[in-house]
Amino acid sequence: MSSKHSSRRRELVESIAQGAVLLAQEGQILAINDAARELLAIPTRARTRSASDVLTHPELADAVDDVRDTGEPTTLEIDHAEALLRVNVSMLRDEVLVLIVDRTEESRVEQLRRDFVVNASHELKTPVTGIQTLAEALSVVVAQEEHERVAALVAQLGDEAARLAALVHDLLDLRRLEERGPQERARLDLAELVRRVVAAQVDRAEALGVELSVQAPVELLFAGVTGDLEVIVRNLVRNAITYNRVGGTVDITLRQLQDGSGEPQVELVVTDTGMGIAPSDLPRIFERFYRVDPARSRDTGGTGLGLSIVRHAVEYVGGSIEVTSHLGEGTSFTVLLPEALAPEGPTDASELRR
Ligand code: ADP
């Protein structure tokens, strides 16, 4: 084998974007690229002369032996050094070529997607089963002409249907936020938006004995997407009412400030005097379908999706969200939004488009 030959072979292996190892029939390494070293977790100065120096994973070593014996290519997935690797082994004339790709992230995303479908189906099943059971009960009592019972069942049917509608609505919101491309930002009065969204929840707050108060500048102009900001305010205020106590309060404040580098920002704070969230639950409340108290959430028409929708919407507008909470005392969510506009800013919406 000429040295010209072997250096060309090495160049070829090094030029492959995936991890690549080329082995001779007898098992010595003819070439190995940096990606393969990294994926196989081979220390920089380690010896890489023979197959056993490199193919430390037993399944991979067996696969290489099999391919060498049979000549048939094979693909396998192995867990190696905390990564999931997909490895393809094939013969290249009388040499063995091993190609390696890292599938860790891809498989994590696949798992998240699978979990989401399972969780969403499970959530949908509850109200759907409720509706089916109620409809059956209804047909029986209608036949018996029990009018009071009919009215009660129809009301329950309505509640279950509303729960289903809320879930479908939240799922669609989440999907829209996750999958859409860049959106045109428009100039809007954030203070007016907050007051409007809060006003829509006054009746619910009153029914639960919770008082709402809003402190917002008269006019606070901001470049954003109305739907995103409504989603953020609506869900935070809704939770602050839901997880509150009779006689409790919800304070919503909006103010303009500057970040560390002097850029204008808007701060939205929603503080309640409710049940609070335990430190162990705090990191998980933004996960889809995570609820501290599933029964309470369901009883109040919660879907378990509100805060994950908020998190997506905040990320989408380039902001950040933080939460502090004390059990039995209350919770405070602080949202920082970039790019507030001074009231004397441009009035033509087209100037604000990015
Ligand atoms: P849900 O529809 O269940 O309210 P969210 O995603 O909006 O779903 O919130 C997730 C969970 O976080 C809730 O089920 C509740 O346990 C907890 N949570 C959210 N906001 C508050 C709050 N202001 N006070 C106490 N717990 C809260």
Side-chain angles (χ1 to χ4, degrees):
M1 195 183 307
S2 74
S3 69
K4 193 168 143 213
H5 214 110
S6 64
S7 78
R8 197 180 304 151
R9 196 194 274 124
R10 216 169 295 134
E11 266 172 35
L12 189 75
V13 167
E14 264 149 32
S15 71
I16 297 177
Q18 308 173 346
V21 185
L22 192 63
L23 296 138
Q25 264 290 7
E26 311 76 45
Q28 79 263 32
I29 306 284
L30 300 171
I32 175 167
N33 67 7
D34 290 345
R37 269 180 227 274
E38 196 177 314
L39 292 170
L40 294 169
I42 301 167
T44 342
R45 290 174 186 279
R47 217 171 73 122
T48 50
R49 250 180 276 154
S50 75
S52 58
D53 298 332
V54 169
L55 310 177
T56 51
H57 194 286
E59 262 182 72
L60 179 52
D62 287 350
V64 169
D65 286 344
D66 283 350
V67 171
R68 199 185 279 130
D69 291 346
T70 63
E72 289 296 317
T74 186
T75 300
L76 66 157
E77 285 201 342
I78 55 169
D79 281 312
H80 187 64
E82 290 174 23
L84 177 71
L85 306 180
R86 176 178 286 160
V87 188
N88 178 271
V89 187
S90 57
M91 294 301 290
L92 213 66
R93 295 180 194 227
D94 53 354
E95 290 159 6
V96 184
L97 177 66
V98 180
L99 292 174
I100 312 160
V101 275
D102 189 349
R103 282 201 70 243
T104 317
E105 182 56 20
E106 204 181 315
S107 123
R108 196 186 65 84
V109 172
E110 278 167 18
Q111 186 59 43
L112 278 180
R113 207 164 281 161
R114 269 196 298 271
D115 287 351
F116 180 64
V117 172
V118 171
N119 288 336
S121 317
H122 185 77
E123 296 287 338
L124 287 164
K125 224 168 81 185
T126 316
V128 167
T129 311
I131 289 173
Q132 283 172 331
T133 317
L134 286 163
E136 277 165 29
L138 204 53
S139 67
V140 173
V141 296
V142 164
Q144 294 165 349
E145 292 193 43
E146 292 178 47
H147 295 298
E148 268 177 34
R149 190 91 182 94
V150 170
L153 287 174
V154 168
Q156 277 184 45
L157 206 55
D159 285 351
E160 293 291 350
R163 188 167 307 174
L164 202 54
L167 199 55
V168 171
H169 187 269
D170 276 2
L171 284 170
L172 290 174
D173 259 356
L174 200 59
R175 194 188 138 91
R176 181 180 59 83
L177 281 164
E178 279 181 347
E179 296 189 356
R180 70 180 176 182
Q183 296 240 324
E184 225 165 66
R185 296 155 75 88
R187 183 182 174 81
L188 54 98
D189 180 352
L190 199 51
E192 186 274 329
L193 180 146
V194 167
R195 272 188 234 105
R196 178 163 44 81
V197 174
V198 172
Q201 307 215 32
V202 166
D203 287 350
R204 195 164 161 269
E206 246 172 44
L208 293 169
V210 176
E211 201 173 308
L212 303 180
S213 93
V214 180
Q215 280 175 34
V218 177
E219 192 184 42
L220 204 162
L221 293 176
F222 179 85
V225 181
T226 311
D228 292 340
L229 297 156
E230 284 175 351
V231 154
I232 296 168
V233 181
R234 190 185 323 119
N235 281 291
L236 291 180
V237 174
R238 187 184 177 284
N239 282 349
I241 298 170
T242 305
Y243 303 104
N244 219 309
R245 57 179 166 79
V246 175
T249 56
V250 176
D251 289 316
I252 302 116
T253 61
L254 193 63
R255 60 183 184 130
Q256 204 163 13
L257 37 119
Q258 291 184 339
D259 69 7
S261 47
E263 291 295 317
Q265 276 190 322
V266 170
E267 182 195 63
L268 168 77
V269 184
V270 180
T271 305
D272 65 61
T273 55
M275 59 208 288
I277 304 165
S280 56
D281 288 310
L282 267 188
R284 301 203 56 192
I285 55 170
F286 292 98
E287 290 174 19
R288 297 159 175 171
F289 298 120
Y290 187 81
R291 301 161 167 116
V292 178
D293 179 350
R296 176 162 180 156
S297 159
R298 284 204 188 92
D299 284 351
T300 54
T303 60
L305 291 172
L307 287 180
S308 64
I309 292 173
V310 168
R311 185 174 55 97
H312 275 289
V314 168
E315 273 170 17
Y316 199 80
V317 295
S320 63
I321 181 160
E322 273 182 21
V323 53
T324 54
S325 189
H326 296 285
L327 264 187
E329 289 177 27
T331 306
S332 188
F333 285 89
T334 302
V335 180
L336 285 174
L337 303 167
E339 285 187 56
L341 290 181
E344 63 273 17
T347 47
D348 178 1
S350 65
E351 290 176 47
L352 301 169
R353 286 181 196 145
R354 302 204 292 182

